[in-house]
Amino acid sequence: MNAKLTMVAASLALALSSAAQAGEVEVLHWWTAGGEAKAAQGLKASLQAKGHTWKDFAVAGGGGDSAMTVLKSRVVSGNAPAAAQIKGPSIQEWAREGLLQPMDAVAKAEGWDAKLPKVVSDVMKFNGQYVAAPVNVHRVNWLWANAAVLKKAGVKAPTTWDEFFVAAEALKKAGVIPLAHGGQNWQDFTVFESVALGVGGPEFYKKALVQLDAATLNSATMDKVLETFRKVKAYTDKNSPGRDWNLATAMVIKGEAGMQLMGDWAKGEFLAAGKAPGKDFVCAAAPGTAKSFTFNVDSFALFKLKNSANQAAQRDFASAVMSPEFQELFNLNKGSIPVRTDLKMDKFDDCAKQSNADFLATAKGGSLVPSIAHGMAVPSAVEGGIKDVVSQFWNNDSMTVAQAKQRIAAAAKGS
């Protein structure tokens, strides 16, 4: 009897200990669309399984601009969430303000350095310490197409920009919108960087949009990029301004449009709609970019918290983000690929397998480049300045190529 009581007491003590460590994790993210929302639920379930409470802090808007505005107001008022979806150079900007919590205890215990490509782990660190946990790798330079619509128009997914315009004309004659587009500045910029990569190649892209080299930004190649970009717009519909990206994807899914230039989060929408890659839809590198890869790594920056139970929950959150189980579940739903290099791709579709193979190959070949449109390449102020010019050029037919080129170069200088 005493032994039984001892066991009960030990179990109760363990339960109380667990309860004492159970905390709340408030997570700021913008995963509100179908495939993304499903993926976020997986992370929530993982935290709840450890006894923690998940407080959802979702701010709609695919590019995350709205979320950053809300985050800044929360941080200024001294009420930061446990984790916020922040990426690229912006992580360093927040860390320099002394607002982020180092997670090296978790990272070292779980061997993050050995499981992440250095190009990724460097982005997650400040002064050599992890202050953010990476979730995935997105390829941005994708072209998506409705297979039946392409077949009806008698064309294949274009591999060059010349082929793109031929296919667009055929789709137009077939009575569908050639290119589904959402007229928001981050979507305009997504198309722009794929045009820049496809027309200029990876070295031009790196010099112009990563290193912000003045001579390259003012080159004849940039003229050709802008001319091609403007020509692309002619194949979008007049209702595109203000349209969310997932609604543009839905146009392709429904056969209202033939193609979309968008990162691989679009694949999550096709999958959520029950569509099969290679059968119902085509995934191909954006024209001219088959041997290059623009990457966008989603990550959660971890803010300093005062409550010890919430700190423990935050550490469990970081661990859950990097766990093989979540990496697989999340990326199968999101359309991206795991950021860890040690996971098997058996459960992933052909689009993801191709993305993973290209990610590893371009990392070795030097044509793996950060997406400027998705906050991976340059400081946010410079990115915002260039983004504004690109959208002005997209929306204003009276702006000349020379004017756009001059304004992009000025924005790159921060002036």
Side-chain angles (χ1 to χ4, degrees):
M1 185 69 179
N2 285 348
K4 192 172 182 181
L5 280 171
T6 303
M7 285 176 66
V8 170
S11 298
L12 184 60
L14 184 63
L16 288 170
S17 170
S18 299
Q21 283 303 301
E24 178 183 89
V25 180
E26 185 178 17
V27 183
L28 172 62
H29 65 90
W30 55 88
W31 294 328
T32 56
E36 298 177 316
K38 194 174 177 184
Q41 286 300 313
L43 188 56
K44 178 180 178 179
S46 177
L47 266 290
Q48 287 175 333
K50 294 189 177 185
H52 301 304
T53 303
W54 171 284
K55 187 175 180 182
D56 205 50
F57 185 6
V59 180
D65 293 340
S66 303
M68 289 304 97
T69 302
V70 175
L71 176 63
K72 283 170 187 172
S73 67
R74 282 283 303 270
V75 171
V76 167
S77 65
N79 185 29
Q85 196 177 343
I86 300 172
K87 60 194 177 182
S90 290
I91 294 171
Q92 320 303 320
E93 291 172 19
W94 286 100
R96 275 194 291 273
E97 298 296 322
L99 296 164
L100 301 187
Q101 177 64 46
M103 281 289 141
D104 267 24
V106 175
K108 285 178 180 173
E110 298 181 357
W112 287 12
D113 274 349
K115 291 163 184 168
L116 295 173
K118 190 172 186 298
V119 68
V120 173
S121 62
D122 284 349
V123 176
M124 300 300 130
K125 293 177 179 179
F126 179 71
N127 288 342
Q129 291 187 304
Y130 283 93
V131 290
V135 177
N136 58 2
V137 179
H138 276 296
R139 186 180 199 171
V140 180
N141 58 312
W142 280 114
L143 179 137
W144 307 92
N146 183 306
V149 170
L150 288 187
K151 189 175 181 182
K152 181 187 172 187
V155 293
K156 292 182 178 178
T159 60
T160 66
W161 284 108
D162 286 342
E163 286 180 10
F164 173 88
F165 294 121
V166 170
E169 278 296 329
L171 287 163
K172 197 174 177 181
K173 284 176 185 171
V176 296
I177 297 161
L179 185 71
H181 184 67
Q184 296 167 338
N185 65 1
W186 72 269
Q187 295 190 64
D188 300 339
F189 210 19
T190 297
V191 174
F192 176 78
E193 75 175 18
S194 281
V195 173
L197 186 61
V199 170
E203 289 310 311
F204 166 83
Y205 181 98
K206 281 189 272 191
K207 283 184 179 178
L209 299 179
V210 181
Q211 298 162 14
L212 304 174
D213 177 68
T216 309
L217 288 169
N218 285 291
S219 67
T221 303
M222 183 57 88
D223 287 343
K224 193 176 178 187
V225 167
L226 287 162
E227 286 161 4
T228 305
F229 180 59
R230 173 159 279 167
K231 194 175 175 185
V232 168
K233 194 206 171 183
Y235 294 100
T236 63
D237 69 300
K238 64 179 185 345
N239 295 320
S240 71
R243 180 187 289 141
D244 285 334
W245 71 269
N246 53 308
L247 299 181
T249 307
M251 292 166 64
V252 180
I253 292 170
K254 293 172 187 173
E256 295 168 5
M259 303 177 286
Q260 182 185 19
L261 289 159
M262 184 54 62
D264 52 21
W265 46 94
K267 187 182 69 176
E269 299 301 297
F270 283 98
L271 299 179
K275 303 300 181 182
K279 180 187 173 189
D280 301 310
F281 69 96
V282 177
C283 55
T289 72
K291 294 184 178 178
S292 301
F293 191 119
T294 43
F295 69 86
N296 173 21
V297 174
D298 281 317
S299 54
F300 283 106
L302 304 151
F303 282 81
K304 287 182 177 175
L305 304 173
K306 293 175 183 174
N307 182 291
S308 61
N310 290 351
Q311 288 171 356
Q314 185 185 51
R315 289 191 292 273
D316 282 344
F317 172 84
S319 177
V321 164
M322 275 289 286
S323 70
E325 298 80 14
F326 173 70
Q327 288 274 323
E328 183 177 88
L329 170 73
F330 180 90
N331 289 294
L332 282 170
N333 279 304
K334 184 78 159 59
S336 44
I337 57 173
V339 70
R340 290 174 58 136
T341 56
D342 61 341
L343 300 186
K344 291 182 179 177
M345 297 294 289
D346 299 0
K347 293 182 183 177
F348 288 81
D349 58 61
D350 290 345
C351 299
K353 287 174 181 172
Q354 184 64 51
S355 185
N356 189 60
D358 289 348
F359 178 66
L360 297 174
T362 56
K364 290 178 182 175
S367 54
L368 176 66
V369 293
S371 166
I372 183 170
H374 294 275
M376 299 304 300
V378 299
S380 55
V382 173
E383 177 198 323
I386 298 174
K387 189 188 285 179
D388 286 345
V389 177
V390 165
S391 277
Q392 286 162 16
F393 179 72
W394 177 266
N395 290 306
N396 181 4
D397 291 340
S398 66
M399 185 188 290
T400 66
V401 165
Q403 286 171 330
K405 188 166 72 166
Q406 183 183 20
R407 290 178 194 180
I408 287 171
K413 289 180 185 174
S415 56

